[in-house]
Amino acid sequence: MEAITSPAPPPIPVIDLSPLAAPQPDAAAVRQLASALHAACRDVGFLYIAGHGLSQGQLDGLTALATRLFDLPQVDKEALDAARSPLARGYNSLQHGRHSCTPEDGGPRDAKESFTVGMERQAGDPRPPSPMHGPNQWPPEAVLPGWRVEAEAAVEQLLAAARLLMRGLALALQAPPDYFTSRCTDPVAQMVLFRYPPTGGTEEQRGCGAHTDCGFLTLVAQDAPGIEVQLSDGSWHAAPALPGCLLVNLGDMAARWAGDTYKSTVHRVHNRSDAATRHSLVFFCNTDFDAVVETMPSCLPPGVGAAAAEGGGGGSEAAAAVAGGTGSEAAAAGTDGGGSVAAAAGGGVIGRRHPPIKAGDYILQKLGLMFN
């Protein structure tokens, strides 16, 4: 069996986002945060975040949502079969194995159950239509009291945490702090719950095959070890739960936005326990469907589109406040036209240019889906 390194000390950094949420941001703390995010995204592509706004009780509640759902009788779960949803939302059983990470590799299907919840639209919604917004299949209240309300609250909690992280990523890439959040007002996001049975560590009974995520940001709450990250030397490293933290990884879209200077890292899931069942709740947070993804100006070679960042130019716009847009907060954040943040992030990052594409189209292409 392939060896997994000890989870301590982890090469996956822990980054505290609380300076971004402070009413009066501290300049030095924000610069340090931008630098730490830049290094984590460039070198690893995985990080733990603290200071994200969720209490430990709320984190425990995320995995409890999975436990409660998957503990239902099989007949109740099958009534929510994702095959009945045009958006593949709902339940996928261990036996059917339709929600497999790497079905094309010819190996066994993933050993897991899953349940997917996505962003909905109410009748008469005035926003432009999106093929990735639509109805969910919800467990009836009589079958699982209060579950839908708690699940919808979880989506909002995780979306807030993702947007906080987006502000930090924008600063790390020398952009205005609202660069990503302004493109995440009506996001293409999904919350997926998983249950992985114990397998005793056999490679044939993987929970999820080696893959990268296709979207922007992935936030994970988990109640037991299972995620394994492939480091730059090819070795695999366990990424268990840490108290008070969410595990985060960048997806292919984030790497594209950063001109491939940031990593979308290969990872997999193996519940190597002989007895314990593993639960996780994974929030795949993407931007608006129509948001244009194109290489950030700070990631381009000198003189190639670096004169004006999309949406503002990187000068006074980049000095926008971290926490909301006032001049005093901008000064506290130290975003003096991109200079101090660039220095905090280790200077310019030079990647390669990708042609612009809408975020939703990119995801659909990656997933091999087409909606007419």
Side-chain angles (χ1 to χ4, degrees):
M1 185 189 309
E2 195 171 3
I4 304 300
T5 59
S6 167
I12 301 173
V14 179
I15 297 178
D16 185 357
L17 300 182
S18 57
L20 293 173
Q24 297 294 325
D26 176 80
V30 171
R31 286 195 296 270
Q32 184 176 10
L33 172 61
S35 178
L37 278 174
H38 176 73
C41 295
R42 178 194 62 203
D43 299 338
V44 187
F46 268 78
L47 58 145
Y48 292 97
I49 57 171
H52 41 61
L54 282 77
S55 68
Q56 185 61 54
Q58 289 172 320
L59 293 176
D60 293 340
L62 297 178
T63 52
L65 279 171
T67 303
R68 290 176 57 203
L69 179 80
F70 294 123
D71 280 350
L72 286 175
Q74 192 65 26
V75 64
D76 291 327
K77 292 185 288 188
E78 294 287 358
L80 303 168
D81 191 337
R84 299 174 183 169
S85 165
L87 294 174
R89 295 180 183 174
Y91 176 69
N92 284 292
S93 70
L94 179 65
Q95 291 74 26
H96 292 161
R98 283 189 295 261
H99 196 175
S100 191
C101 293
T102 52
E104 72 284 351
D105 68 4
R109 294 281 176 164
D110 295 344
K112 68 188 180 192
E113 295 177 82
S114 71
F115 189 89
T116 299
V117 172
M119 305 304 281
E120 293 190 310
R121 288 278 176 82
Q122 302 299 320
D125 193 300
R127 291 173 292 189
S130 157
M132 297 186 74
H133 288 75
N136 292 305
Q137 295 194 85
W138 295 104
E141 183 69 14
V143 172
L144 205 56
W147 194 90
R148 176 175 178 173
V149 171
E150 293 178 24
E152 291 176 329
V155 169
E156 293 303 314
Q157 292 164 359
L158 290 165
L159 183 56
R163 285 174 171 151
L164 188 64
L165 177 57
M166 287 179 191
R167 297 215 302 270
L169 288 174
L171 292 175
L173 288 165
Q174 306 166 40
D178 68 346
Y179 183 91
F180 294 119
T181 56
S182 65
R183 294 158 172 80
C184 188
T185 60
D186 184 26
V188 175
Q190 287 190 325
M191 185 174 75
V192 187
L193 297 84
F194 294 101
R195 169 176 277 179
Y196 299 90
T199 65
T202 62
E203 297 300 324
E204 295 76 17
Q205 289 293 309
R206 68 192 185 192
C208 186
H211 67 286
T212 61
D213 293 345
C214 67
F216 186 37
L217 293 175
T218 304
L219 283 65
V220 181
Q222 52 184 331
D223 65 3
I227 294 179
E228 298 168 3
V229 179
Q230 189 171 42
L231 303 181
S232 57
D233 63 1
S235 64
W236 291 93
H237 180 86
L242 295 184
C245 294
L246 287 163
L247 180 65
V248 174
N249 65 278
L250 304 184
D252 299 340
M253 184 191 297
R256 183 185 180 97
W257 232 318
D260 298 321
T261 60
Y262 284 0
K263 288 188 176 181
S264 177
T265 301
V266 173
H267 54 286
R268 65 190 184 190
V269 180
H270 279 291
N271 181 6
R272 298 181 181 274
S273 172
D274 292 320
T277 298
R278 177 182 184 269
H279 299 89
S280 66
L281 184 149
V282 183
F283 186 63
F284 298 99
C285 188
N286 302 305
T287 56
D288 300 344
F289 187 92
D290 290 328
V292 177
V293 179
E294 57 184 330
T295 309
M296 303 283 286
S298 64
C299 301
L300 294 172
V304 181
E310 180 190 355
S316 60
E317 295 286 339
V322 171
T326 67
S328 62
E329 288 169 335
T335 49
D336 53 358
S340 60
V341 171
V349 288
I350 305 303
R352 66 189 186 93
R353 165 168 273 170
H354 292 284
I357 187 172
K358 287 185 178 181
D361 290 339
Y362 179 77
I363 294 170
L364 292 179
Q365 289 179 17
K366 280 282 187 173
L367 294 175
L369 300 175
M370 292 296 293
F371 291 95
N372 296 317

